[in-house]
Amino acid sequence: MKLAFVDLVFSWPPLGGAPLDLYQTMVGLQQLGHDVKLFFAADNDNWNRGEMPPGSLPFESQRLDFGLDTFTPEHLPARFREAVDAWRPDVVFVCFGFFMKPYLTKALAGYPLVSRYYAYEVACLRDYRQFWKRATCRKDFLNTPNACRRCTARALSSDIRTGQINMYAREYLATGAHRPEYYDVLVESVRAYDAIIVYNHMTKRHLAALNSNIHVIPGGVHAGEFAFTPPPQRKPGEKKIILMTGRAMDFSKGLHVVQRCGEILAQRRDDFEFWVTVEAPFVKKAPWIRPLGWHDVSELPAFYRQADICVVPSVWEEPFGMVAVEAMATGRPVCVSRVGGLQEIVTPGETGFIYDRNDAKTLAGHLETLLDQPGLRARMGEAGRRRVEQEYDWPRIMQKYYPPMLEGLVKKAKTA
Amino acid sequence: MNHTERVCVFFSIGSDFAKVVRTVRARQPHSWITAMAPPDFPMDGIAADEVVRMEVDRYRPWHVGRLRRLARQLRAGRYDRFVVLFPSVKLKMLASWSGAPQCECWGVDGRVRRLDPGFWGNFSGEIPRRLRGFRQFLDLWAQTLLRPVRKHGR
């Protein structure tokens, strides 16, 4: 089958989870015997969009160049349509695309279309995160469009007024996403997809009223890259390491919960140390916390191997939770907050613990249980590894989810 | 490129600073590079003998005295090239006060954008950009407040 992937934000090496997910999906589908081709936008007036050293992708790709005058809803979708038509795919995947995605979807009508949503793109125009004033936002663009438009305008105003417009704000204006008509374009685009792929059931429920063919497909790791390592053997008196990885300087990742939890634990014991991938200025100094600084993804397996326990204390509705999967792949028990897709990764009591977000006291209780029981840590670590091999290993994900979905699309197209 | 060229890379918060310092070092192997950052600011992967590290304190809000001290510190370095990570007004101002004949904004992706080392040259481009921005700002709020979405809900 010929599968075209269209992405408007792709760059390589990846700057986030979305391009990485797209890359792994395309490589996986190619290994399943499909012809895949990526059509991506490069914007010469914007940094990083479409940046890629030649020959860095193991599959066919086509770069379409745009500038300030041509990155518009009138020009861009037509160019992509032309390029896709020339390749004649059986199915088109519309991937990440900020505000231009609905227009692109409209232009690609006629092909079986699959959309991949990576966060809460349809619900939150401000930053796709539905996270506001340090809490999950209860509003969403489909139900409260005018409140969400005001919120987005407030958030982007200062940049726009000073003329220091970043890629996101510029696209917001260029696509007319601040105009009321954009609401209809977006809603119609969600309805138009033959299938939608999301990371978690919360997003599925959110979109279910507009589209009934929604697939929850998790992200994954290559289990081989995160080799299972038995838990470190600690000498008496040696501190056990509780690791928090990810973009910890971002409030939504919950470093403040770890700090409160550490204070609670420190009143009872001193046989632990939190290692956090964050710079020193972002951490309240304490003897039980060690800021590790920023680290490249390639350096993380070494930290997981040294750790005894991993925590993912996110306080926003994390769409997925790659760091939890990485920790489980290495064989570490994980304590995660009950949010978004994160809670779907951990089996409570088997591969780790789940606690209510912001509840540092309960987190401290779970960590004490794990600190006191090396046997439990080892058992949970092994169970986590098994779960990753069964559910989150890329080849397994590709085998399990994509063939049935593609067959369904082809059947539907034939019937139509 | 002169092998004795003195380059100053001024920090911005984030992992990009170390990346940019590494890129500058790679492109200018014979230059004398000073990385200006606050105490305990991480410089992962940069050997101490590759760059000179100078400490500045900039985690508190700007004020005139602090800025004057910083400008004096920069001028004392007699840099040939002053590198910042963002073309923000504050950093542009700092660049023009650094006294360096060449001021540049380096991106993580290796792109280099020249900044005018002169104070007025630096800011003359600001005026049309601000005017354009203000017009867009007015349109944004006019659309948002005066033209609501009428039919909504699923």
Side-chain angles (χ1 to χ4, degrees):
Chain A
M1 206 181 278
K2 286 176 88 171
L3 307 174
F5 289 77
V6 180
D7 195 291
L8 303 180
V9 195
F10 190 84
S11 62
W12 198 261
L15 292 171
L20 190 63
D21 185 286
L22 173 58
Y23 177 93
Q24 297 293 359
T25 305
M26 290 188 70
V27 169
L29 287 168
Q30 197 176 34
Q31 284 165 355
L32 289 179
H34 297 288
D35 268 351
V36 296
K37 182 170 177 178
L38 172 67
F39 298 84
F40 66 98
D43 185 348
N44 296 325
D45 297 310
N46 265 324
W47 294 15
N48 298 324
R49 194 200 288 266
E51 284 288 317
M52 195 184 318
S56 49
L57 299 177
F59 41 76
E60 200 181 341
S61 64
Q62 184 175 340
R63 171 184 156 133
L64 284 87
D65 285 285
F66 298 93
L68 266 177
D69 302 334
T70 51
F71 205 92
T72 60
E74 294 79 30
H75 190 87
L76 180 140
R79 286 268 317 275
F80 270 97
R81 174 80 202 204
E82 203 179 301
V84 170
D85 279 349
W87 197 59
R88 294 175 159 272
D90 298 304
V91 176
V92 180
F93 285 72
V94 188
C95 305
F96 208 12
F98 291 167
F99 304 105
M100 196 65 83
K101 187 169 166 174
Y103 297 101
L104 188 61
T105 304
K106 207 171 161 186
L108 292 168
Y111 287 106
L113 290 178
V114 182
S115 172
R116 178 46 140 154
Y117 288 118
Y118 296 96
Y120 306 109
E121 289 98 317
V122 178
C124 179
L125 300 186
R126 187 168 51 90
D127 58 4
Y128 297 171
R129 298 177 66 184
Q130 272 192 303
F131 190 71
W132 181 237
K133 292 191 175 171
R134 304 193 158 195
T136 297
C137 178
R138 296 290 160 210
K139 297 191 173 80
D140 85 82
F141 185 61
L142 293 177
N143 287 320
T144 55
N146 294 318
C148 292
R149 286 169 71 210
R150 285 194 297 275
C151 171
T152 309
R154 272 196 300 273
L156 304 180
S157 269
S158 62
D159 282 357
I160 291 172
R161 194 179 51 207
T162 56
Q164 300 269 5
I165 305 183
N166 63 19
M167 185 163 87
Y168 192 78
R170 208 184 78 193
E171 196 167 315
Y172 185 69
L173 294 173
T175 53
H178 60 306
R179 296 171 193 275
E181 294 80 14
Y182 182 78
Y183 179 85
D184 297 325
V185 179
L186 180 72
V187 168
E188 284 314 309
S189 75
V190 179
R191 286 197 177 119
Y193 295 122
D194 297 280
I196 292 177
I197 303 171
V198 295
Y199 272 135
N200 62 52
H201 287 87
M202 195 182 106
T203 319
K204 180 178 175 171
R205 280 194 296 276
H206 179 249
L207 296 173
L210 291 178
N211 196 309
S212 55
N213 198 9
I214 302 177
H215 302 255
V216 177
I217 302 184
V221 294
H222 281 290
E225 284 172 17
F226 289 87
F228 176 80
T229 319
Q233 297 299 313
R234 303 281 176 209
K235 290 175 200 149
E238 196 185 350
K239 292 193 175 183
K240 296 167 195 93
I241 294 162
I242 305 168
L243 179 67
M244 175 186 173
T245 55
R247 213 174 49 251
M249 64 185 277
D250 184 339
F251 177 86
S252 65
K253 298 291 179 185
L255 176 58
H256 59 288
V257 182
V258 158
Q259 288 192 307
R260 275 209 309 272
C261 167
E263 283 159 12
I264 295 168
L265 280 178
Q267 288 169 3
R268 301 177 196 159
R269 57 199 303 155
D270 62 354
D271 62 341
F272 70 96
E273 189 172 50
F274 280 100
W275 284 14
V276 185
T277 51
V278 73
E279 301 306 339
F282 294 97
V283 182
K284 226 190 290 173
K285 275 186 186 165
W288 43 263
I289 194 159
R290 185 195 289 188
L292 299 171
W294 283 283
H295 287 275
D296 198 65
V297 181
S298 60
E299 298 168 76
L300 292 181
F303 289 118
Y304 288 122
R305 283 197 292 274
Q306 291 176 70
D308 296 86
I309 305 163
C310 291
V311 288
V312 190
S314 293
V315 294
W316 81 297
E317 299 289 349
E318 198 80 60
F320 188 55
M322 191 58 85
V323 289
V325 177
E326 289 170 356
M328 281 160 58
T330 318
R332 297 295 172 265
V334 197
C335 290
V336 303
S337 52
R338 189 170 282 110
V339 295
L342 199 51
Q343 59 190 320
E344 294 172 17
I345 294 170
V346 172
T347 315
E350 197 181 304
T351 63
F353 292 107
I354 303 181
Y355 68 95
D356 289 336
R357 85 181 85 190
N358 281 317
D359 188 353
K361 209 171 161 187
T362 309
L363 173 61
H366 291 323
L367 289 176
E368 279 216 281
T369 308
L370 286 167
L371 287 168
D372 289 336
Q373 300 182 43
L376 180 66
R377 293 203 300 268
R379 275 200 305 282
M380 284 188 161
E382 283 163 16
R385 173 70 191 188
R386 276 197 301 278
R387 185 160 162 73
V388 170
E389 285 170 355
Q390 285 160 11
E391 300 289 335
Y392 300 110
D393 191 21
W394 271 115
R396 292 296 286 260
I397 291 172
M398 300 314 298
Q399 290 278 3
K400 187 174 171 182
Y401 297 102
Y402 281 89
M405 187 184 73
L406 291 171
E407 276 169 30
L409 285 174
V410 171
K411 260 186 210 165
K412 196 176 163 188
K414 276 180 186 165
T415 319
Chain B
M1 192 140 317
N2 188 339
H3 73 284
T4 55
E5 189 180 40
R6 295 169 69 86
V7 181
C8 174
V9 187
F10 194 81
F11 90 106
S12 286
I13 292 177
S15 56
D16 294 349
F17 178 62
K19 286 181 198 164
V20 169
V21 173
R22 277 201 293 266
T23 313
V24 175
R25 169 48 76 211
R27 289 201 192 164
Q28 299 183 208
H30 304 298
S31 299
W32 176 274
I33 295 174
T34 304
M36 276 205 164
D40 68 23
F41 197 87
M43 303 254 283
D44 301 328
I46 302 167
D49 55 352
E50 281 190 321
V51 296
V52 177
R53 186 173 170 146
M54 194 175 275
E55 291 182 354
V56 288
D57 182 8
R58 223 200 62 164
Y59 276 114
R60 289 177 213 159
W62 288 57
H63 63 76
V64 177
R66 193 178 296 278
L67 207 56
R68 274 176 56 194
R69 272 201 301 279
L70 190 56
R72 264 208 303 270
Q73 192 180 356
L74 289 174
R75 283 181 175 273
R78 295 179 178 278
Y79 299 109
D80 300 301
R81 192 182 295 258
F82 186 74
V83 174
V84 294
L85 272 64
F86 299 101
S88 69
V89 174
K90 281 176 188 168
L91 288 173
K92 275 181 175 178
M93 194 157 67
L94 207 58
S96 63
W97 286 349
S98 70
Q102 287 190 72
C103 300
E104 289 164 349
C105 172
W106 284 53
V108 197
D109 53 2
R111 289 197 200 190
V112 179
R113 180 177 155 182
R114 225 160 240 268
L115 301 177
D116 195 317
F119 186 82
W120 293 114
N122 228 334
F123 290 95
S124 58
E126 280 289 311
I127 297 163
R129 201 176 65 186
R130 293 237 169 191
L131 285 174
R132 195 170 53 242
F134 191 66
R135 189 181 54 75
Q136 287 174 322
F137 168 80
L138 290 179
D139 179 48
L140 169 71
W141 278 106
Q143 291 289 338
T144 306
L145 296 177
L146 304 177
R147 296 190 62 219
V149 176
R150 297 281 177 204
K151 285 181 188 171
H152 58 79
R154 291 164 283 171

